[in-house]
Amino acid sequence: MRLSLLIVLCSLGVELYAQTPSNPIYESVYTIENVRVGVSLAGAIFKPKNPHAAVILVHGSGQEKRMINLASNLANNGIAVLTYDKRGVGESGGVYAGPEVGTNNIDSANLNLLALDASAAAQSLFSHLSDKNIPLGLVGFSQAGWVIPIAAEKNSEVCFIVLFSGPAVTTLEQLRFQFYTNGKTNFWEAHTDADVREHIKNDPDRYQFPATDPLNALIRLKIPGLWLYGGRDIQVPVGLSIERLDMLKAQGKFYKYQLFPTLGHNTAFSKSQEPFNAAIQWIKNISHRYKKNGYRKGNLDKP
C-alpha cells in the first residue's frame, strides 16, 4: 500500500540519532563492536565491563541511523546496548518505508517487519553477552510504541520494555490526533483532553487500512514496562494512552508510566534529563529484582 501520509511521528531530529563520535571520556568505560544483525542490519554493541542490564534501541518513524550518543550514555550507566541503522538507512540493507519516500510506515506489514528486526537484534545482543543472567530489554521511541510490544511477544529473551512517548492507542487513532493538532505548538493553549477524546472518537479516517492496536500484544505480555510521556505532546494522545495503560494495570499488568507535564513529544532528547534518569533508575530496579529473584524472568511481572 503506497500512501503519502503526513506522519511526523517521532522523527525526533535525524541529527540526534546520527552516527557521531562518542565522547572520549566514555571509551575506557566500555568497548564498541560493530556487528551485523542477520544479513541486512548494521549496528554496534556498546558493552560495559560488568553490565547489569542490556537493551536494544528501537527507532521512531524517521530515517534513523544507529543512536551513538544515547548508546554511550546508557553504557556509561552500566547498560549494554545494541543500536543499529534502521532497515534501508545508513549501512543497513532492506527498504525503508515512510512519508519521506511516499509510503505508509504504520501499516501492519511494516510494523511487523520492524518488530522482526528488533527481535533479531535482541537475539544478536543476547548471543554477545558473556553473562546471560542479566535482564534484556527493548527501549524505543514514539512509533516503537507499536513495534516493541510485537517484538517482545516474538522473543522470549526480552524481559522488559521502555517507551519514550510511545502511543498506547491504535495507529488510526494516532493519525486522527495528529491531523487535529496539525503540528501547532500552541495546540494545548486552546484545547483540552476532553476535546481530543471527542475528536478521536468521532473524526472520520482520512486513510483506509487496518489499524494496529498495541494492546493486543501488551495484554498478552508477562513482562514489566515503562512509558515516559510529555504533557504537551502534539503527536501522541497522552491522556488516552494513559487511560489504556491504566486499564491494563487494572488487569494485573506490571506497567508503569510517568508524566512530565511541561515536556512535549521529545521526552528522550529534551533539555530535561528527568525522563532519561527515570528510565535508568527503573532499569536498575528491574536488574536488582531480576538478580534477587534468581534470574527468574517470570517474577518480574509482579510489583
Side-chain angles (χ1 to χ4, degrees), residues 186-250:
N186 64 346
F187 175 83
W188 289 110
E189 295 174 14
H191 298 84
T192 66
D193 187 60
D195 295 334
V196 168
R197 291 167 182 266
E198 185 68 17
H199 181 87
I200 291 176
K201 181 179 179 181
N202 297 302
D203 190 45
D205 293 314
R206 303 190 189 188
Y207 298 99
Q208 301 300 318
F209 59 89
T212 295
D213 188 346
L215 270 64
N216 290 339
L218 290 173
I219 201 167
R220 293 191 291 264
L221 288 175
K222 296 181 179 180
I223 58 176
L226 173 67
W227 282 254
L228 300 157
Y229 289 116
R232 307 286 290 178
D233 199 323
I234 57 172
Q235 296 185 42
V236 168
V238 169
L240 191 57
S241 292
I242 285 176
E243 179 184 284
R244 303 279 170 82
L245 291 174
D246 279 334
M247 181 185 71
L248 293 173
K249 289 173 64 178

Side-chain angles (χ1 to χ4, degrees), residues 12 16-17 67 69-70 141 164 266-272:
L12 289 181
L16 287 172
Y17 289 152
M67 307 175 207
N69 291 336
L70 180 58
F141 316 89
F164 289 87
N266 198 355
T267 51
F269 297 93
S270 68
K271 292 181 180 179
S272 170

Side-chain angles (χ1 to χ4, degrees), residues 142-159:
S142 196
Q143 187 190 70
W146 299 308
V147 175
I148 280 181
I150 300 171
E153 192 174 20
K154 293 178 184 295
N155 195 315
S156 61
E157 301 295 349
V158 174
C159 299

Side-chain angles (χ1 to χ4, degrees), residues 268-289:
F269 297 93
S270 68
K271 292 181 180 179
S272 170
Q273 290 294 305
E274 288 186 85
F276 177 80
N277 291 338
I280 291 295
Q281 186 57 55
W282 187 83
I283 293 173
K284 286 182 178 179
N285 291 340
I286 291 293
S287 302
H288 176 72
R289 288 175 49 216

